[in-house]
Amino acid sequence: MPAAPPGGEEIHGPIWSEPGSLLERVPVAVLGIDEHDRVCYWGPGARDLFGYEPGAVLTRPGAVLFADASRGTSASCSRLTEQGRTQGYWRGRLTARHRDGTAFDCGFRSFSVTGSGGPSVVMVLSSRSDELDRVKTNLAFLDALFETCPIGLVMIDQDLRYLHLNQALADMDGVPIEAHLGRRMDEIMIMSDGGEYERMLRAVAQGGAPVVGTLVGVRPRGHPDRDQVRSVSFFPLSRAVGTRSGVGGLMIDVTDRERAILEATASRRRLALLDGASTRIGTTLDVNLTAQELVDASMPDFCDGSVVEIVEWMDETEDFDPARPLFTRRIASGTTLPAPATELVSGVERVRYPPGSVIHEMLRTGRAISAVVDEEFLARTVVTESRTKIMGESGVACILVAPLIARGTVQGIAMFGRSAARPSFSEEDVSLAGELASRAAICLDNARLYSRVQDIALTLQRALLPTTLAVTPYVDLAHRYVPGSRITEVGGDWYDMINLPDGRVVLVVGDVMGHGVSAAAAMGHLRITTKALARHDSEPADLLGELDACAQEAGIELATCLYLVYDPRTGRARIASAGHPPPLVLRPDGTVQTVDEVLGVPLGVGGCPFRTTEIELPEDATLALYTDGLIEVRGRDIEAGLDALRAELAEGGGSLEEMADRILAGLLPEPPTDDTVLILARVHRVAR
């Protein structure tokens, strides 16, 4: 605090009061009195309090500052300095006198200061008694307010961290006062308003308009089973020196009065969970992934752990028998709890539930049920002692089980668990779990049906495609069939090699447009028909005409086919095409020929004759027959695909198997987008 030495100039002494402190709110005079009771230091506060400039009071008797001064002495001054020197510290109230002669009641503090080797000085602090009384009254009022006020009071900083609060608010939150301090509001309360409450507080903290009587729905983390409606008022706190601005607030619990808001808050939370689940569940047609999406969508908002299990029925018509054990297969799991909860949900694949279990009760009623994990539950539902021990140590306190029912069939079960740190499942939670499981069951059933159709189509396709091809000394063969992506896994691409009399060889490749069971069935129909017609030794064009008529009769609307007959005695090949990509010939000199004289319309169109083209193949020439999946790639022109295939073929080198692998690796995208067939046939002539 500033002090003036005898010369009158102001310097900063050893006691300095910063603006904004309590001493700024209550004017404090600082002065010093020497061993002769004369004023030796005079601060700015003393000038304001007593009215004397430093030059008018320094070196004068301190008695001039007191109302009982007479002839340069004052009993009050003597008492003040004597007590300060003898007791080391003294405080009391005395009557002071202003320079203008007015007397006023004043509070004094005095203490002795001794310099190194110098005389002692009594430092005096003084303030008007009415100012001190005002501050003391305000502080007492604030203390009493925070101690006894039944309304929640809070002070938070700009980062929404608790600075001060009263017991009423701590009781509302269910968290002790000490546990609040320094933590953010979102660590104490669970909100379901999309951040609107936090945005409101930040706006006030940044100097916005006060908020008065706004109703908000909250769930305190100290009372996780109790939704509350609070009437809140917030106002910006003035910025003091050395502190950050913040927000002051008042909160009143009006839950009973505003029950409708609570119900709306809970409904919004349930709707938000269902809405999020709708967008996250069923993004694929994979049963396991769909089940895992259900598990992930339920945590952590709804539960602490979840599993999905598929019931292993003998067949779909089997009736549920509550007197028999139930077997399930766990296909998805997850938990936010520490070990051993992880082992509890993922440490088993096939599960057996004994008769009388909670699962049996749920399947008997067809409705979701909840149960407390106690000794009775463990005895009824958990078979092995080891699993009972793990569940007992996992921290899971309650279980909610919901059936996965779609199209009148129980597909499986979904189980949700909560730890003791969260409330048990309520009736609303049971209803929510039932609806969540119902939506997920449809997605799971769609994925199951799709997988079944895929399995049927794959089985059919594999049965219809050749496992081994005919063998001849006149043709060396390398063949590849590459299925498309998961969505288009089953297609209508096919190929074959057939031996004819006199050593002749038939190479045929085709492609039925579309995918799935119908494409696979059409492909098998055409392959078998082609093999039967080839035995009649027809001209290629005539054979395609017969095949076209069969396609029309079978309802096959669009399919391509390339039919080639090679005669090793002449080295000539006769070719006919029904709209299929042209064959390529790699000659021994490394040149590549495109046999594009054969065009034709696809099978099933009808009304257009086919024609046969004949070419000569030199010894060791290599034929390349393929389907459009090899040259047609999204974003690439078909001519560019043909050029790429010709370039790969022209590189030659290595065996036919190595060539086939290299061509596929160079041309097919990863993953393949369509089915692809590639046949490489190196021809030889009959020795003369």
Side-chain angles (χ1 to χ4, degrees), residues 585-597:
V585 179
L586 172 62
R587 297 183 176 276
D589 61 4
T591 60
V592 177
Q593 175 189 357
T594 303
V595 186
D596 52 8
E597 294 86 0

Side-chain angles (χ1 to χ4, degrees), residues 437-520:
S438 177
R439 296 190 183 191
I442 296 295
C443 298
L444 280 171
D445 196 47
N446 289 338
R448 181 184 64 87
L449 292 176
Y450 173 77
S451 297
R452 178 175 298 178
V453 171
Q454 286 293 96
D455 291 341
I456 293 172
L458 280 172
T459 302
L460 177 62
Q461 183 189 48
R462 289 164 182 162
L464 295 175
L465 283 173
T467 54
T468 59
L469 297 179
V471 178
T472 174
Y474 307 118
V475 177
D476 299 329
L477 201 67
H479 56 94
R480 297 287 188 274
Y481 171 78
V482 180
S485 65
R486 178 65 181 168
I487 299 300
T488 59
E489 191 171 81
V490 180
D493 291 20
W494 57 283
Y495 59 98
D496 212 339
M497 186 172 88
I498 307 164
N499 285 333
L500 296 180
D502 303 325
R504 287 174 298 155
V505 178
V506 171
L507 295 174
V508 59
V509 61
D511 184 4
V512 177
M513 299 300 104
H515 297 90
V517 175
S518 59

Side-chain angles (χ1 to χ4, degrees), residues 348-423:
V348 64
E349 181 177 354
R350 196 167 186 266
V351 186
R352 174 181 179 271
Y353 295 104
S357 71
V358 171
I359 311 301
H360 283 70
E361 182 181 350
M362 180 268 295
L363 291 178
R364 182 179 58 80
T365 61
R367 301 180 62 184
I369 60 173
S370 63
V372 176
V373 178
D374 52 17
E375 292 185 1
E376 179 187 359
F377 172 87
L378 296 174
R380 290 175 54 194
T381 306
V382 184
V383 177
T384 62
E385 182 178 348
S386 60
R387 300 297 295 175
T388 299
K389 181 180 180 182
I390 292 174
M391 176 164 276
E393 297 174 350
S394 67
V396 176
C398 58
I399 295 285
L400 197 163
V401 188
L404 298 170
I405 302 176
R407 300 176 178 92
T409 303
V410 177
Q411 308 293 332
I413 57 176
M415 285 192 285
F416 310 96
R418 286 181 179 175
S419 67
R422 299 177 67 159

Side-chain angles (χ1 to χ4, degrees), residues 100-119:
D100 62 8
T102 58
F104 57 93
D105 194 37
C106 195
F108 287 92
R109 303 288 188 275
S110 65
F111 53 91
S112 178
V113 177
T114 302
S116 57

Side-chain angles (χ1 to χ4, degrees), residues 206-217:
Q206 293 169 4
V211 174
V212 179
T214 298
L215 297 179
V216 296

